[in-house]
Amino acid sequence: MTHLLVLGTDTNAGKTTFALLLLAAFPDRFEYWKPVETGDSDSERVRRLVPGVVVHPPVARFQAPVAPPLAARQEGKTVPPAHAIAAALPRVTHPGRYLLIETFGSPFSPLNDNELQLVLVHALGGRTALVCSSALGAIGRGVQCLRALQADDIDPNLLVLMGPRDPYAEGELHKRAPSLLALEPPVAWDVSAVAKAATRSRADLEASIVWPLEGDAHLRLSEHAEAPHELSRPADAQDVAALLQRDDRVVWHPYTPLRGADPPLPCVGALDEFLHLADGRRVIDGISSWWTILHGHRHPPLMAALADALKSYDHVHFAGVTHPPAIALAELLLRSARMEDGRVFYSDNGSTAVEVALKMAYQYWCLRGEPQRSYFVGFEHGYHGDTFGAMAVSRDPVFFGRFEPLLFRAEIVPLSAERLDDVLTRRQGEVAAAIVEPLVQGAGGMRMHTARELREIAAVARRHDVLLIADEVMTGGGRTGALWAHQAAGVAPDLVCVAKTLAGGLLPMAATLVSGHVAWMWWTNDRSHTFFHGHSFTAHPLACAVAVANWQSLSAGVHPAPARMEAFWNEALAPLRDHPRVRDVRVRGTIAAVEIDVPGGYLADVGRELRATCLERGVLLRPLGNVLYALPPFCTSDASLEQIADAMKAAVTSLR
């Protein structure tokens, strides 16, 4: 979606007047949103003076006509962080329309107690118009604000001089602004006067605003096929059939038999929580494309970060070379995980992040003179990836039983501090590390444990002087509530694995975070002690740049989506708790899982039936055998959540 972000040099610069003129001139092309309001409501003023225009409700509304943090404090509230406001970006109600977003004050006004509005401007991105009053001092105000914004990598596309015409000021500012538009306000504040002023300015508004926005939209459509209404146009049935035939001849899909499986869904595009299929259907991506898409498909701030990085990078190798995005990301990760004295080792997916941690754990003990510590402990229903080390500490008989003769030594115990204590006591001095998925065991059936249980497990590992590896490949990034799931228990793992959502799902990216006391064992000039491990695309600059934008947003404050979804799931799926076919309903953060009471586990035939029923209702889910679960991206609307829950309930109640 293309939007226009209206900034002001200061309060009373004329932002709302400019918005009124544009909305009145093109009521069928623009919709209005002011995300944060204080004092008299500009949203209500727009509704009154431009009847019929679509006005989206603000995210935060406070009564006192003062700065938002102060107005919020007076009401005992807080202003949401910039990333939460950006995540609430409304969708336009009709294809081809644009969203006009009006900010408050100046970009350098305080948004909340920790951020300036400038952070929100960066998060929203898009085309920008800077409004300046034409009153005495316009040149100084305009130039000062332009330079300040440009110093912060924001270059307004248009400077709007609002008020009585001043040819001298217009000429001076035009020398410094990329494009300048001078507008006069209505002679009165009523519907008729606003309409007349808009009519007078229509041609200038069209040339300065509408045409550039349409150019952006056409460019995005031609380069990226982004427009949802274009993506939804069905392809010819014969073309779809031919595509599937080609796929069947040459492609081997993961976790899918070569024969007898349902045909794959030909996807031609994705946006927000939706996948657009070649046959014209739009389905909700209820599992975030295998848990990778965190904010939503093609999240604007992440797409903008990728586009910006493409101006400087493709790929550079990371052995003996470094680059700013990798350094910045490592700093962000370590700070957020409270491992500031540690190190970050980059790889490319969850399995490799786990392999790195396992190899490091063993080499750590070798460097300490205890090479006999070659044993590992995992937990039942744990799943850490498909490479050999990850298989060894998972040992699921369905997935990995065939490879048992090739796996190194590990013992799998029920997820219990007591059982972990038993095995560590029995194998005293033999175990290098224990590995756990904090709070939620994903592929093992979305099985959940409490923060207290996790805390007790960490205490047992510490007492036995065994390293603890937190596999946060799925849980890292705030899906369970806390930014890192292990932080909900207040524990400090020795190694942390992260992938999937590290770059918001936009690009493959993984990392292993290594605590300082572990990394210290490699602090030596003895080259034989080097950690000999690496990947061709380690620390890919484009993925790092996107991940930096993602992690900056996540680190700004607790994202509201997990709490919102957890409350929704608990209420919407409550009727299934007493259903005779349901063994358990599990909810944490964005995750909801319904375990069906049938034998077979992952191989249960019921999974195929559940998936088909949900797909008929426009929801794409991928059951883990007899466990039907949803894990949608943060941007998922209330309406889409309702649709997912309705599909899940229908799938369960329709079981034969």
Side-chain angles (χ1 to χ4, degrees):
M1 178 186 67
T2 303
H3 57 254
L4 175 69
L5 189 60
V6 181
L7 313 177
T9 54
D10 44 33
T11 301
N12 295 324
K15 297 185 293 295
T16 305
T17 303
F18 168 71
L20 286 167
L21 293 177
L22 186 57
L23 292 165
F26 302 97
D28 58 339
R29 303 301 303 277
F30 288 88
E31 299 179 4
Y32 178 84
W33 185 47
K34 186 166 185 176
V36 179
E37 289 192 329
T38 63
D40 293 336
S41 172
D42 288 325
S43 296
E44 293 305 317
R45 184 178 295 116
V46 167
R47 282 194 181 93
R48 177 169 54 84
L49 294 176
V50 189
V53 74
V54 175
V55 178
H56 296 273
V59 173
R61 173 86 182 90
F62 308 104
Q63 297 302 314
V66 295
L70 178 58
R73 198 176 307 150
Q74 291 175 359
E75 297 180 22
K77 302 175 182 177
T78 58
V79 182
H83 75 84
I85 297 173
L89 186 75
R91 297 181 182 84
V92 291
T93 59
H94 293 79
R97 287 188 179 180
Y98 308 110
L99 186 66
L100 187 157
I101 306 172
E102 182 183 345
T103 61
F104 64 87
S106 87
F108 304 95
S109 299
L111 172 65
N112 50 47
D113 292 334
N114 301 308
E115 300 173 316
L116 297 179
Q117 187 173 210
L118 194 67
V119 180
L120 177 60
V121 174
H122 277 291
L124 289 169
R127 187 167 282 270
T128 55
L130 176 63
V131 180
C132 177
S133 168
S134 68
L136 186 63
I139 299 171
R141 286 191 301 273
V143 171
Q144 184 181 37
C145 197
L146 274 172
R147 289 184 175 176
L149 287 170
Q150 289 165 347
D152 215 282
D153 295 323
I154 296 171
D155 201 357
N157 303 97
L158 174 69
L159 178 63
V160 179
L161 204 56
M162 179 61 65
R165 299 295 296 270
D166 184 339
Y168 177 72
E170 292 171 23
E172 289 299 308
L173 286 170
H174 196 58
K175 296 176 184 178
R176 298 163 175 85
S179 180
L180 185 134
L181 174 62
L183 297 173
E184 294 187 62
V187 296
W189 295 107
D190 56 47
V191 173
S192 176
V194 169
K196 287 180 181 178
T199 300
R200 286 197 308 269
S201 305
R202 181 183 170 89
D204 290 336
L205 290 166
E206 186 170 35
S208 300
I209 304 292
V210 179
W211 289 351
L213 283 170
E214 290 183 342
D216 287 350
H218 289 314
L219 179 62
R220 288 206 321 275
L221 179 59
S222 62
E223 292 184 350
H224 307 293
E226 283 196 2
H229 56 290
E230 291 291 333
L231 294 175
S232 297
R233 291 178 181 173
D236 183 89
Q238 290 183 338
D239 292 339
V240 175
L243 185 70
L244 291 175
Q245 288 175 356
R246 290 167 55 201
D247 178 279
D248 188 53
R249 283 197 301 270
V250 297
V251 175
W252 195 333
H253 290 271
Y255 293 94
T256 305
L258 282 178
R259 185 175 182 183
D262 294 330
L265 301 174
C267 180
V268 295
L271 186 67
D272 297 331
E273 70 263 41
F274 301 105
L275 299 181
H276 298 267
L277 306 184
D279 59 9
R281 284 181 294 167
R282 186 183 75 167
V283 298
I284 299 171
D285 184 359
I287 57 168
S288 299
S289 285
W290 247 350
W291 322 341
T292 59
I293 300 298
L294 186 62
H295 302 280
H297 288 282
R298 300 211 319 279
H299 185 53
L302 302 190
M303 295 294 288
L306 176 59
D308 189 55
L310 279 166
K311 298 174 185 175
S312 304
Y313 294 108
D314 50 5
H315 175 58
V316 294
H317 77 279
F318 208 59
V321 180
T322 193
H323 48 77
I327 299 168
L329 178 58
E331 292 170 340
L332 283 165
L333 291 172
L334 292 173
R335 190 181 311 126
S336 68
R338 301 175 192 135
M339 298 170 69
E340 287 88 346
D341 61 343
R343 292 290 190 276
V344 172
F345 194 98
Y346 290 111
S347 55
D348 50 16
N349 65 73
S351 296
T352 56
V354 169
E355 292 291 312
V356 167
L358 297 172
K359 288 176 66 175
M360 281 184 174
Y362 176 63
Q363 188 171 348
Y364 167 83
W365 291 110
C366 290
L367 296 177
R368 283 189 51 170
E370 299 184 57
Q372 77 281 0
R373 286 186 178 256
S374 58
Y375 213 83
F376 288 83
V377 178
F379 294 99
E380 288 181 0
H381 307 295
Y383 189 102
H384 303 285
D386 298 330
T387 48
F388 275 92
M391 289 193 293
V393 293
S394 305
R395 270 189 163 79
D396 184 286
V398 173
F399 298 119
F400 311 133
R402 193 177 305 275
F403 303 100
E404 182 65 34
L406 307 178
L407 304 182
F408 62 64
R409 299 190 306 160
E411 188 162 336
I412 310 301
V413 301
L415 199 148
S416 152
E418 182 179 356
R419 295 300 297 273
L420 178 62
D421 187 60
D422 289 343
V423 70
L424 295 185
T425 300
R426 180 164 32 88
R427 295 191 174 275
Q428 190 69 36
E430 297 180 52
V431 178
I435 183 169
V436 64
E437 297 163 86
L439 301 187
V440 183
Q441 294 178 296
M446 295 296 168
R447 299 179 185 277
M448 302 174 184
H449 52 274
T450 65
R452 178 179 177 179
E453 289 172 307
L454 178 60
R455 192 158 48 245
E456 291 172 348
I457 285 170
V460 169
R462 193 72 63 223
R463 188 166 67 250
H464 285 274
D465 194 22
V466 166
L467 297 180
L468 181 65
I469 302 171
D471 178 353
E472 296 250 15
V473 168
M474 186 269 278
T475 54
R479 280 210 168 106
T480 63
L483 181 55
W484 298 97
H486 70 262
Q487 290 177 338
V491 303
D494 301 289
L495 300 113
V496 179
C497 307
V498 59
K500 289 193 183 294
T501 62
L502 180 54
L506 204 66
L507 291 171
M509 184 75 187
T512 304
L513 282 59
V514 189
S515 61
H517 78 94
V518 173
W520 178 252
M521 294 306 300
W522 280 265
W523 192 258
T524 173
N525 290 326
D526 187 341
R527 295 189 64 187
S528 68
H529 289 188
T530 301
F531 183 63
F532 292 110
H533 190 102
H535 303 272
S536 299
F537 292 100
T538 291
H540 195 289
L542 300 181
C544 285
V546 174
V548 167
N550 180 41
W551 224 254
Q552 284 175 335
S553 172
L554 292 172
S555 300
V558 177
H559 199 288
R564 174 176 70 96
M565 290 190 194
E566 183 169 311
F568 173 82
W569 294 133
N570 277 320
E571 181 178 353
L573 300 180
L576 292 180
R577 295 186 184 276
D578 298 322
H579 194 281
R581 300 297 300 273
V582 172
R583 183 178 298 162
D584 191 19
V585 176
R586 299 186 282 271
V587 171
R588 176 164 283 124
T590 63
I591 307 164
V594 180
E595 184 174 355
I596 309 302
D597 191 10
V598 295
Y602 187 85
L603 298 179
D605 290 335
V606 72
R608 193 170 184 177
E609 186 179 343
L610 293 168
R611 178 182 184 273
T613 303
C614 290
L615 192 57
E616 290 171 359
R617 286 159 175 77
V619 178
L620 177 60
L621 300 178
R622 186 181 171 86
L624 297 161
N626 66 324
V627 177
L628 176 66
Y629 76 94
L631 197 165
F634 286 171
C635 75
T636 306
S637 68
D638 290 346
S640 291
L641 287 177
E642 291 278 2
Q643 189 172 341
I644 295 171
D646 289 346
M648 294 176 75
K649 288 184 283 191
V652 173
T653 56
S654 65
L655 286 175
R656 294 187 293 272

